[in-house]
Amino acid sequence: MVADPAATVRAVGSIDTGVLLDERYRIVERRASGATATVWVAEDDFLHRRVAIKILHDHLACDA
């Protein structure tokens, strides 16, 4: 089943510290933001290590 892109955009807009993504990655802190995306530091709950997650800004992520 393909996820509704609009639902994904709404979820991305609510990202903040403590949020759990994909039942695996817990957001720790915002690292940087640029013209196209924001980079977050997260804890991988399965592998017990820190990872970087790059998320496109809402206005770019809504294009199917």
Side-chain angles (χ1 to χ4, degrees):
M1 179 161 111
V2 176
D4 175 15
T8 303
V9 171
R10 282 191 299 274
V12 169
S14 64
I15 290 193
D16 202 358
T17 58
V19 169
L20 186 65
L21 298 177
D22 199 28
E23 299 179 7
R24 178 176 181 165
Y25 304 102
R26 186 161 312 279
I27 300 296
V28 175
E29 67 179 335
R30 186 175 137 182
R31 180 55 54 121
S33 186
T36 61
T38 300
V39 177
W40 297 86
V41 175
E43 280 288 332
D44 182 332
D45 286 347
F46 291 135
L47 298 177
H48 306 289
R49 65 179 179 182
R50 289 218 165 173
V51 296
I53 297 177
K54 187 173 188 177
I55 300 176
L56 286 175
H57 295 311
D58 288 346
H59 70 281
L60 299 172
C62 64
D63 182 10

